[in-house]
Amino acid sequence: MCERIEEFFPGVYSDEEKADAIRFTDCFIIDDDAKYPYCYPSLEQYKEMGLVTGYPFTMLSDENNSISIYCGILHGFVRGDLENYEGLNSPELDYMQELLGGIYPDSLDAFSVCPSVYHTEDMKSEKTFHLESGDVSIAEAAAFTEKYLSELELSMRDIPAELSLQSVYVLDIGRGCHAFYFTIVPEYKNIQYDSVIMDGSSFATSPVSDSTNVLRIAGHAMMYNKDVISRLRTGVLPCYYYDVIETGSHTSVIPLEKAAELASKRLAGNMRFKAESVSVVYKEMSDKEPGGSSDTGVRDTGISDDRKINVNPCWKFLLKSTTEPKKYYHIYVDMLTGKVDTFVQMMWSEAEND
């Protein structure tokens, strides 16, 4: 953790400041008066209070910067300069800062603070937007971000999956300037893992139903000056997978035409949709829903759940309802068995999609 702090924020924190600022968020201090981030223990408290878990999650977060490491793997960092950007003028940002007792780097994870004005999965798009440093195309920004991720050391141990750009949201940060907000998912042997569409917040969606029992939120990389990543979240998935176990091999899969037929049978005849895309994804599936929270002082991260999660190759059909209210239907057809699963989410954003 100390090495990564020096890597991203060189010379900013003394050893004494690190000892106090680094907190363990895999547990918490049961104290109603403890304000964020001091509701989480320091290393000394972590050991002395007997709060040590088998999955340490270290974090540093103040009014300037944020960084977190999960089980030795970089979870993300934030350089908090955008929070003080003069163009930001949002009552919600003021409310969030008041709620947290100050300006903290995670305040900008709500799209309502920086509204999304455009969204695309085309990483080669020449569509240009004005950043604080000047006009930059999506293709230029994506190329830099992909190179940045490929050269970034995530962990001291090998991780089989790579980080891949899935889409980009263009955010309005005020004063006529924009920021590129790239969504990041793991990629294994040239196939991306699935994730839901973000809407309203980088961490929030509005699920209607889910037969897969695994809701996966993408990570993100944000750029509002050319060739500078101001904030990065690798996402939860890379932190879980230290290894990948392949359970078999196959020489054929269900063809796309057959998958489309199976998907259409799952939908009611009186429903009307616009087909947004079809793709091949790895989709996580679980027979059981995630567990609840704990009152023992240990955070429930989901790791301790007694449930098995399989990763299945699927044809994914993304459909948008053409009637109100606006919903997205994620239809997954297992490429090996033909089993059909669905995830439905409500959408509130009015951002232009391409």
Side-chain angles (χ1 to χ4, degrees), residues 45-109:
Q45 293 170 321
Y46 191 63
K47 294 187 295 184
E48 289 184 352
M49 299 174 68
L51 297 172
V52 176
T53 73
Y55 38 92
F57 197 156
T58 53
M59 173 195 72
L60 180 151
S61 182
D62 58 25
E63 66 274 10
N64 297 309
N65 306 301
S66 173
I67 182 172
S68 53
I69 295 179
Y70 185 69
C71 292
I73 300 175
L74 178 66
H75 186 245
F77 68 85
V78 177
R79 298 185 176 99
D81 49 347
L82 186 54
E83 275 73 6
N84 297 309
Y85 178 70
E86 292 181 4
L88 290 181
N89 182 18
S90 167
E92 178 158 338
L93 179 60
D94 295 338
Y95 169 74
M96 295 176 70
Q97 292 171 355
E98 181 181 352
L99 189 66
L100 293 173
I103 300 175
Y104 286 96
D106 287 337
S107 302
L108 288 186
D109 282 325

Side-chain angles (χ1 to χ4, degrees), residues 1-163:
M1 179 64 169
C2 291
E3 290 176 1
R4 301 319 290 264
I5 290 174
E6 285 302 313
E7 177 183 350
F8 296 109
F9 313 114
V12 174
Y13 300 95
S14 66
D15 290 344
E16 292 76 13
E17 289 171 327
K18 291 173 188 172
D20 179 64
I22 294 174
R23 298 279 159 168
F24 286 75
T25 66
D26 46 297
C27 54
F28 55 87
I29 299 172
I30 303 177
D31 181 356
D32 293 339
D33 295 326
K35 301 296 184 182
Y36 176 88
Y38 299 102
C39 51
Y40 303 119
S42 64
L43 175 59
E44 183 178 356
Q45 293 170 321
Y46 191 63
K47 294 187 295 184
E48 289 184 352
M49 299 174 68
L51 297 172
V52 176
T53 73
Y55 38 92
F57 197 156
T58 53
M59 173 195 72
L60 180 151
S61 182
D62 58 25
E63 66 274 10
N64 297 309
N65 306 301
S66 173
I67 182 172
S68 53
I69 295 179
Y70 185 69
C71 292
I73 300 175
L74 178 66
H75 186 245
F77 68 85
V78 177
R79 298 185 176 99
D81 49 347
L82 186 54
E83 275 73 6
N84 297 309
Y85 178 70
E86 292 181 4
L88 290 181
N89 182 18
S90 167
E92 178 158 338
L93 179 60
D94 295 338
Y95 169 74
M96 295 176 70
Q97 292 171 355
E98 181 181 352
L99 189 66
L100 293 173
I103 300 175
Y104 286 96
D106 287 337
S107 302
L108 288 186
D109 282 325
F111 284 180
S112 50
V113 174
C114 297
S116 175
V117 297
Y118 183 74
H119 174 245
T120 185
E121 294 184 1
D122 182 8
M123 296 296 100
K124 303 295 184 182
S125 172
E126 293 297 332
K127 196 173 181 67
T128 298
F129 293 88
H130 184 70
L131 308 190
E132 189 182 38
S133 56
D135 293 343
V136 180
S137 71
I138 290 175
E140 289 178 287
F144 174 84
T145 306
E146 287 174 338
K147 183 174 184 294
Y148 181 89
L149 292 176
S150 69
E151 296 174 350
L152 181 66
E153 183 186 19
L154 289 176
S155 171
M156 294 181 290
R157 61 172 67 94
D158 290 332
I159 301 176
E162 301 176 352
L163 295 183

Side-chain angles (χ1 to χ4, degrees), residues 179-293:
F180 292 125
Y181 191 104
F182 292 99
T183 59
I184 300 172
V185 295
E187 181 178 301
Y188 182 69
K189 293 187 176 180
N190 299 316
I191 297 180
Q192 290 187 339
Y193 276 72
D194 180 63
S195 72
V196 301
I197 299 175
M198 293 188 294
D199 183 60
S201 162
S202 64
F203 298 114
T205 60
S206 301
V208 177
S209 63
D210 183 9
S211 69
T212 73
N213 290 325
V214 181
L215 178 66
R216 183 60 64 211
I217 305 296
H220 62 262
M222 193 168 181
M223 176 192 299
Y224 75 103
N225 279 306
K226 184 179 180 180
D227 296 350
V228 178
I229 302 300
S230 64
R231 53 202 300 123
L232 172 73
R233 285 285 183 265
T234 59
V236 175
L237 193 56
C239 300
Y240 286 145
Y241 290 138
Y242 304 146
D243 197 3
V244 171
I245 300 172
E246 297 183 3
T247 58
S249 61
H250 303 267
T251 57
S252 64
V253 297
I254 292 174
L256 175 59
E257 293 78 7
K258 178 63 176 178
E261 180 182 336
L262 293 170
S264 65
K265 289 181 179 179
R266 182 66 178 265
L267 304 171
N270 61 347
M271 303 176 75
R272 295 293 179 265
F273 300 97
K274 175 187 176 184
E276 294 283 305
S277 65
V278 59
S279 57
V280 176
V281 299
Y282 281 127
K283 179 69 181 79
E284 293 170 289
M285 306 280 188
S286 174
D287 292 334
K288 296 169 61 177
E289 295 182 0
S293 60

Side-chain angles (χ1 to χ4, degrees), residues 55 213-214 240 286 288-294 299-309:
Y55 38 92
N213 290 325
V214 181
Y240 286 145
S286 174
K288 296 169 61 177
E289 295 182 0
S293 60
S294 168
R299 278 182 70 184
D300 177 14
T301 64
I303 295 179
S304 59
D305 287 348
D306 182 18
R307 65 189 186 120
K308 182 179 181 180
I309 295 178

